Amino acid sequence: MSQPKVRRVIAKGEKYFGELTLSNPSSEPRNIRLYLEDWRYAPGGDGAKEFSPAGSSKYSCSSWIQFTPQEFILPPQAQRRIHYTISVPDKDVEGGYYAILFHETMVGEAEAKKEASSAAIYLTVRVGTIVYVEVKGATRREGIIDNLTIQREAYKNRLQIEADFRNTGNVDITAGGTFHIIDKKGVVYARAGFNKVYTFGGDSAKLKA
């Protein structure tokens, strides 16, 4: 798929029309099926995602998305345009909403035989384009960092620094950053970066360095 992510800011009651390009670089034709699901960041904030049926998530925008075609055969070395429309409701929405458009295809099969019986194993692969929709004029990108702790690790000349990040807004936030240790003369003694954490509104995660 030409775009692994689609992020759009759309006003209430408005539509966005877009397209993706799906390519088949192989020497075999592929039967393609496209469908929507919901997703959210898994607890812990490391960027891992959890998927669920379309429309099941609190932050779902799956019902806002229409696309065509849904099933087709893609010849070898060919491309196909996927047209989609995102329609934002005209009321009772604010913040960020999310979905994922999967395209699925069977890439191989294997047959296992044992005496008089046999079984076929099919390998199906799916790849998704993640959709982020923000409602124009109705987003709050806010967060709080607190509970900062600094500890020297036993038997090692290094510090363990931790802090809690809480997304207090209503859109996704990827948080991170750097720190500097400055000596009494104002000279930077050491510097390093925190891990990145990935959150939806209301989520919490631990920043570490």
Side-chain angles (χ1 to χ4, degrees), residues 105-126:
T105 182
M106 189 177 73
V107 298
E109 61 179 288
E111 186 176 6
K113 294 183 177 180
K114 186 177 180 181
E115 297 179 356
S117 63
S118 64
I121 301 172
Y122 299 96
L123 176 62
T124 300
V125 172
R126 69 177 187 174

Side-chain angles (χ1 to χ4, degrees), residues 106-177:
M106 189 177 73
V107 298
E109 61 179 288
E111 186 176 6
K113 294 183 177 180
K114 186 177 180 181
E115 297 179 356
S117 63
S118 64
I121 301 172
Y122 299 96
L123 176 62
T124 300
V125 172
R126 69 177 187 174
V127 179
T129 293
I130 298 175
V131 180
Y132 306 74
V133 178
E134 295 182 14
V135 180
K136 187 175 182 179
T139 58
R140 291 181 292 104
R141 185 164 273 107
E142 302 170 350
I144 293 175
I145 296 175
D146 58 11
N147 298 325
L148 176 67
T149 62
I150 303 175
Q151 295 182 329
R152 183 178 297 278
E153 293 186 349
Y155 310 111
K156 295 181 180 179
N157 187 29
R158 64 181 187 180
L159 302 176
Q160 180 72 35
I161 304 174
E162 293 187 357
D164 293 329
F165 173 77
R166 182 159 53 93
N167 184 340
T168 57
N170 60 9
V171 293
D172 64 287
I173 293 178
T174 301

Side-chain angles (χ1 to χ4, degrees), residues 188-201:
V188 175
Y189 177 77
R191 70 188 76 188
F194 288 95
N195 60 309
K196 285 186 177 181
V197 294
Y198 302 81
T199 62
F200 280 177

Side-chain angles (χ1 to χ4, degrees), residues 33-50:
R33 182 172 74 95
L34 288 96
Y35 56 93
L36 289 160
E37 286 193 3
D38 293 345
W39 70 275
R40 64 163 293 119
Y41 289 121
D46 63 357
K49 298 173 180 63
E50 295 178 341

Side-chain angles (χ1 to χ4, degrees), residues 78-132:
Q79 294 183 334
R80 182 72 179 264
R81 290 182 179 178
I82 311 300
H83 300 275
Y84 67 90
T85 304
I86 304 174
S87 304
V88 176
D90 59 1
K91 59 182 179 179
D92 299 328
V93 289
E94 63 177 20
Y97 295 83
Y98 312 92
I100 183 166
L101 177 59
F102 279 116
H103 71 273
E104 183 179 272
T105 182
M106 189 177 73
V107 298
E109 61 179 288
E111 186 176 6
K113 294 183 177 180
K114 186 177 180 181
E115 297 179 356
S117 63
S118 64
I121 301 172
Y122 299 96
L123 176 62
T124 300
V125 172
R126 69 177 187 174
V127 179
T129 293
I130 298 175
V131 180
Y132 306 74

